[in-house]
Amino acid sequence: MPLSPNFGERRGGLVPELVVIHYTAMESCAAAAARLCDPRHEVSAHYLLDYDGTLLALVPETARAWHAGAGSWCGRDDINSRSIGIELANDGAEPFPEPQMRALETLLAGILARWNLPPEAVIGHSDMAPGRKTDPGARFDWRRLARTGLAVWPEPLGQTAPAESFAAFVQRFGYPAAPTETLLAAFRLRFRPWAKGSVDGLDAGLAQSLMLRFAIDQDGPVG
């Protein structure tokens, strides 16, 4: 039996095409679990990972959990019907501990295998909802996941491109339409978390790398 009552059927015959990673931004994993399982709050996720790697399966993967909210990726909305949501116990400012990251890697590997998803299907909440969400935040180690084929990272590093092309590149990679400053903030959270200032050639170069390797057919499946 699912632990959370907050779920429904995936709409329109959709199946998981994405995995969305979140942080709980609450004082404890227990508090987050209580919130995600409380019907009054109407929020949930498929999985919740505690600091020590303990995994709670809250909603079946075949069901539509209520974790993503408004946003889009690859030109598609209703991300809840298209994704599996993973909540990580974290207050939004602290590092993600090693046991939690190891457990996440195991969980992601299983999800990608079960649903035949590529690494680029793994995104952050801030990617699909730039300007509205910031999780999993600047402390999350995306590059670690990419090294084991569980996410993507721009390669080669250090290349540059015209800064004015940045917005077009990131939207071709998957980000929704938004002002350049909003896209830049979301992109840097994931790929250049300590960078400051206006969009520059390095931002555009990283975005171009991702676009060239993972350009989206916005009329076909995400993966």
Side-chain angles (χ1 to χ4, degrees):
M1 293 292 290
L3 295 180
S4 176
N6 300 335
F7 68 92
E9 293 185 3
R10 295 185 183 272
R11 296 169 179 166
L14 294 172
V15 297
E17 303 172 14
L18 296 166
V19 182
V20 182
I21 298 178
H22 309 255
Y23 59 51
T24 57
M26 297 188 71
E27 65 272 19
S28 68
C29 188
R35 174 70 63 90
L36 294 167
C37 294
D38 188 337
R40 296 173 298 175
H41 292 291
E42 298 186 344
V43 293
S44 62
H46 294 87
Y47 297 103
L48 172 62
L49 267 172
D50 205 344
Y51 293 95
D52 65 358
T54 299
L55 177 66
L56 289 177
L58 304 180
V59 171
E61 290 183 5
T62 52
R64 181 181 185 272
W66 305 338
H67 62 96
S72 67
W73 187 254
C74 300
R76 300 164 179 81
D77 57 11
D78 191 7
I79 300 299
N80 282 336
S81 288
R82 302 178 184 275
S83 66
I84 290 171
I86 301 173
E87 289 275 0
L88 303 177
N90 186 279
D91 67 7
E94 60 194 341
F96 293 81
E98 179 64 23
Q100 188 180 53
M101 289 299 295
R102 286 200 308 269
L104 175 62
E105 289 168 336
T106 299
L107 176 61
L108 282 174
I111 292 171
L112 297 186
R114 281 191 292 278
W115 296 98
N116 193 29
L117 299 178
E120 60 266 32
V122 181
I123 64 171
H125 202 187
S126 55
D127 294 322
M128 52 141 297
R132 187 175 71 84
K133 293 295 181 179
T134 58
D135 49 321
R139 305 299 296 269
F140 186 75
D141 194 348
W142 285 103
R143 197 170 185 180
R144 169 178 172 154
L145 294 186
R147 284 196 294 266
T148 53
L150 299 173
V152 298
W153 195 259
E155 298 290 350
L157 300 177
Q159 69 180 30
T160 62
E164 60 269 22
S165 301
F166 169 78
F169 290 158
V170 295
Q171 289 178 75
R172 190 77 180 103
F173 171 55
Y175 283 86
T180 297
E181 295 78 10
T182 302
L183 292 171
L184 179 64
F187 184 83
R188 282 182 172 173
L189 266 178
R190 179 166 172 181
F191 298 109
R192 290 186 74 193
W194 312 118
K196 304 291 184 183
S198 301
V199 62
D200 61 25
L202 184 53
D203 295 308
L206 296 174
Q208 183 182 47
S209 167
L210 292 164
M211 181 269 295
L212 290 173
R213 292 167 60 210
F214 306 108
I216 302 156
D217 174 8
Q218 295 200 3
D219 295 323
V222 172

